[in-house]
Amino acid sequence: MVRRGLMAWLSRVGVALVALCCSVSVLYMLACSPRGDPRQLAFPRHESLAGKEEYQAAIHEREGHQKDYINSLKQQVAQLKDALQERSRQLTGLQGQSNGTRGAGLDQVLPKGTQADLLKFLHSQMDRAEVRSGAKLPSEYAAVPFESFTLQKVYQLETGLTRHPEEKPVRKDKREDLGEVIELGLETLNRPKDHGHTGQRVFSASDFIEGIYRTERDKGTLYELTFKGDKNHEFKRIVLFRPFGPILRVKNENLNTARTLVNIIVPLAKRAGKFQQFMQNFREMGIRQDGRIHLTVVYFGREQMSEVKGILENTSKSAHFKNFTFIQLNEEFSRGKGLEVGARVWKGGNVVLFFCDVDIYFTAEFLTTCRLNTQPGKKVFYPVLFSQYNPSLIYGHHDSIPPLEQQLIVKKETGFWRDFGFGMTCQYHSDFINIGGFDLGIKGWGGEDVHLYRKYLRSNLIVVRSPARGLFHLWHEKFCLDELTPEQYKMCIQSKAMNEASHGQLGMLVFRKEIEAHRRKKKAAMKTNTKKV
């Protein structure tokens, strides 16, 4: 009896719940119905003043509720952010106390088991990334390039139509990110080396030279920071990794480049005028400012060879420079062959090879960057150079073009990051030989650089690819030959246009007739108004 009563009661409760759910569903459907103007459904239109005031009052009331809700969310976000920063400081401090031992001492802060799992996850992210060694990549498209930065500027490859190739870190999160990284680098450098030692140098932000960073979306962000060392040509490098959580210290190493020689290898055929310009830059930046440099010129053919040798010998005499090699090959020009011969003729120690073209301008700071981003058996450097636009289009009249040194500014109006080129590269001689060098079956310009780049990507070496603010490709006119097919000719013209001027500057050329017509109309209107007065 009791059981039947209980079952009946449960049945009635079930029916009531079903009815209640149906009612709620009907009300939800009516409230969310898309028919009609929602403002009219919520607030019927009244012609009277009182109706309008009620309408506005209802709007203000709704806005007030939304503002309160937003403020509540902001408070929650701020609390979570503070908690995350506190946890980050705790983990970072414990990591420093552990001296590289994973998970040491974490149970003093976090619940037992939680801290070990968290730190294990963070380190697993770091182990999967290219932090300590390179990862084999299938093609050049799989490589994630670095961006470089100083205290004031960020040099970025992805610009689009709104961002610039170099700019201040405008976004707050970017400023805080890079500022935190530099601060942690200084904290690492200034950590006491041993107890009782009081004469330790204190590093400051003014000692920071340059940093590079890149984010792998499924792993985290790698940072490499370079600071001035205790002596000339000595540097401090701090490697940090942020695995979508607290930053982890990876390396703290001393670098000395005082005896690191850079062998600049230039393949050449004819172009004596360009070589004269190249040697002016080489003399100032390579010989006078840097000094730890060798030049290897591999010349193809005999036309203009005497002029090129004369330029080289005159520079040698006037600058008291003997560290050069001139090789002449009686065959058709091949860039890959020239660089291969120039690299293999070297019989000295394990030198850094900088593969360069005659229309390249480099600074002494770039040579330092070349040394710092290469490491035998570990790293090769593929800088992204800044390609100059046509000065005649940028500066207008030919007479208004400034001297070359004043043209070489990293701005959106003056050029672009040449991220599709892989020809200029720095690597140690031993790595070039071990990787197998160039494919000598490639003739003429192009192809050989991408082939070598792919071989490095498929090796265990780390490929550092980042914008180099001290490496420029000088503009020169591009000729599209009549022998090309219509499709090839079209592609050649497209490439030529890309190197001539920026998007906006080319647009001004396309619409110059309309601009001139508008200017003439304005002048005519001004004259008419003047006569009336």
Side-chain angles (χ1 to χ4, degrees):
M1 190 72 178
V2 173
R3 184 173 182 181
R4 283 200 301 271
L6 180 61
M7 292 297 292
W9 182 80
L10 289 174
S11 177
R12 287 195 298 273
V13 170
V15 171
L17 287 174
V18 170
L20 179 61
C21 290
C22 292
S23 302
V24 171
S25 299
V26 171
L27 290 173
Y28 178 81
M29 291 173 65
L30 290 174
C32 298
S33 175
R35 294 191 300 271
D37 189 326
R39 292 174 296 178
Q40 293 179 355
L41 290 172
F43 312 106
R45 183 176 296 175
H46 296 284
E47 297 299 330
S48 64
L49 180 62
K52 292 181 179 179
E53 290 177 350
E54 291 177 4
Y55 180 81
Q56 292 176 351
I59 291 178
H60 290 316
E61 183 180 0
R62 178 172 293 183
E63 288 178 349
H65 290 318
Q66 290 177 343
K67 287 181 180 178
D68 293 340
Y69 181 62
I70 291 172
N71 290 333
S72 174
L73 290 177
K74 286 182 177 179
Q75 291 177 1
Q76 294 179 46
V77 170
Q79 292 172 359
L80 290 172
K81 186 176 180 181
D82 291 341
L84 179 61
Q85 289 178 344
E86 177 61 27
R87 184 61 51 82
S88 175
R89 284 193 292 269
Q90 293 172 349
L91 289 177
T92 302
L94 287 171
Q95 187 194 24
Q97 295 172 11
S98 66
N99 293 323
T101 304
R102 298 186 182 184
L106 284 176
D107 56 346
Q108 299 173 10
V109 177
L110 302 175
K112 192 172 183 179
T114 304
Q115 71 283 4
D117 292 340
L118 177 59
L119 198 56
K120 182 179 179 181
F121 168 75
L122 296 178
H123 278 284
S124 70
Q125 295 291 92
M126 183 171 65
D127 291 341
R128 290 172 56 229
E130 276 191 294
V131 177
R132 295 187 176 91
S133 63
K136 295 182 179 181
L137 302 175
S139 71
E140 64 270 25
Y141 305 107
V144 179
F146 286 84
E147 293 186 349
S148 61
F149 64 98
T150 62
L151 288 176
Q152 294 81 24
K153 296 292 180 69
V154 175
Y155 299 85
Q156 55 203 7
L157 295 181
E158 296 183 6
T159 57
L161 293 178
T162 56
R163 300 173 66 193
H164 295 266
E166 63 92 41
E167 62 184 16
K168 294 180 180 179
V170 179
R171 283 171 39 193
K172 184 173 180 290
D173 60 335
K174 178 69 71 177
R175 290 199 307 271
E176 291 180 348
D177 176 35
L178 299 182
E180 180 186 3
V181 167
I182 295 173
E183 183 179 345
L184 184 56
L186 291 172
E187 179 186 319
T188 304
L189 290 173
N190 292 324
R191 184 181 299 164
K193 302 298 185 296
D194 50 65
H195 298 289
H197 184 67
T198 58
Q200 179 178 327
R201 172 187 170 185
V202 177
F203 290 85
S204 66
S206 61
D207 295 312
F208 177 67
I209 298 175
E210 185 181 39
I212 59 174
Y213 71 97
R214 69 176 175 187
T215 300
E216 296 181 67
R217 295 180 180 178
D218 60 337
K219 300 176 184 70
T221 304
L222 172 66
Y223 307 86
E224 291 192 9
L225 312 178
T226 304
F227 297 84
K228 295 177 184 175
D230 298 325
K231 298 179 182 179
N232 197 21
H233 307 311
E234 288 186 354
F235 303 90
K236 302 282 187 179
R237 173 177 287 157
I238 302 295
V239 180
L240 305 171
F241 185 71
R242 188 196 296 275
F244 301 119
I247 300 177
L248 304 178
R249 294 184 178 93
V250 180
K251 288 181 185 177
N252 179 1
E253 55 187 356
N254 298 321
L255 304 173
N256 190 328
T257 64
R259 296 184 178 180
T260 305
L261 190 71
V262 176
N263 183 5
I264 301 180
I265 304 177
V266 181
L268 188 63
K270 306 176 185 177
R271 308 186 74 185
K274 283 289 183 182
F275 186 71
Q276 176 72 55
Q277 184 182 54
F278 174 86
M279 288 305 297
Q280 291 174 358
N281 171 231
F282 179 86
R283 176 173 178 168
E284 174 61 25
M285 299 298 174
I287 301 175
R288 196 181 74 81
Q289 294 191 28
D290 188 272
R292 296 154 294 150
I293 202 163
H294 187 95
L295 176 64
T296 300
V297 178
V298 182
Y299 197 85
F300 289 82
R302 294 190 174 277
E303 188 177 353
Q304 298 186 17
M305 186 184 71
S306 57
E307 291 94 319
V308 169
K309 288 189 70 174
I311 294 168
L312 190 57
E313 291 168 358
N314 289 336
T315 303
S316 174
K317 291 177 183 178
S318 60
H320 306 289
F321 178 73
K322 304 295 183 184
N323 292 340
F324 70 91
T325 303
F326 184 87
I327 303 168
Q328 194 264 333
L329 300 176
N330 289 319
E331 53 187 272
E332 182 184 354
F333 179 84
S334 168
R335 185 176 186 272
K337 177 67 176 292
L339 295 173
E340 182 85 17
V341 170
R344 292 187 180 275
V345 79
W346 178 259
K347 301 302 180 185
N350 195 14
V351 68
V352 174
L353 304 176
F354 171 35
F355 295 153
C356 187
D357 291 337
V358 73
D359 51 9
I360 295 298
Y361 182 98
F362 59 85
T363 64
E365 288 77 12
F366 169 76
L367 296 176
T368 298
T369 303
C370 180
R371 294 181 177 96
L372 293 175
N373 284 316
T374 51
Q375 194 171 357
K378 292 187 176 181
K379 279 186 181 180
V380 296
F381 182 40
Y382 270 84
V384 179
L385 50 82
F386 194 73
S387 192
Q388 180 191 31
Y389 286 139
N390 186 345
S392 299
L393 295 180
I394 296 172
Y395 301 102
H397 195 271
H398 182 76
D399 295 335
S400 61
I401 298 177
L404 178 61
E405 288 73 15
Q406 297 178 23
Q407 298 177 32
L408 302 179
I409 303 173
V410 180
K411 295 289 183 185
K412 197 164 190 174
E413 298 76 22
T414 60
F416 65 98
W417 292 116
R418 202 179 186 90
D419 58 350
F420 53 82
F422 306 95
M424 295 344 110
T425 175
C426 300
Q427 68 265 284
Y428 269 86
H429 182 266
S430 58
D431 292 327
F432 178 77
I433 299 300
N434 291 336
I435 206 73
F438 286 103
D439 180 0
L440 298 183
I442 299 174
K443 303 295 182 183
W445 285 94
E448 81 292 330
D449 49 2
V450 178
H451 181 265
L452 180 66
Y453 182 61
R454 287 172 179 166
K455 289 205 290 186
Y456 278 127
L457 290 176
R458 292 164 182 166
S459 72
N460 289 321
L461 298 173
I462 295 177
V463 177
V464 179
R465 182 157 173 79
S466 72
R469 66 184 188 276
L471 191 63
F472 297 87
H473 177 267
L474 302 180
W475 180 86
H476 56 83
E477 189 170 359
K478 184 179 181 67
F479 296 97
C480 297
L481 302 176
D482 292 335
E483 291 78 11
L484 298 174
T485 66
E487 186 62 28
Q488 289 175 326
Y489 192 83
K490 179 182 176 181
M491 293 175 62
C492 182
I493 290 296
Q494 289 175 339
S495 176
K496 181 176 181 178
M498 185 174 60
N499 289 272
E500 288 293 309
S502 68
H503 186 102
Q505 290 162 334
L506 289 176
M508 294 295 288
L509 290 175
V510 171
F511 298 112
R512 64 184 182 277
K513 292 183 179 179
E514 295 180 27
I515 296 171
E516 288 296 329
H518 180 266
R519 186 181 292 115
R520 287 194 296 269
K521 288 180 181 179
K522 287 296 181 181
K523 284 184 178 180
M526 290 177 63
K527 288 181 180 179
T528 302
N529 292 334
T530 304
K531 289 179 181 179
K532 289 181 179 180
V533 174

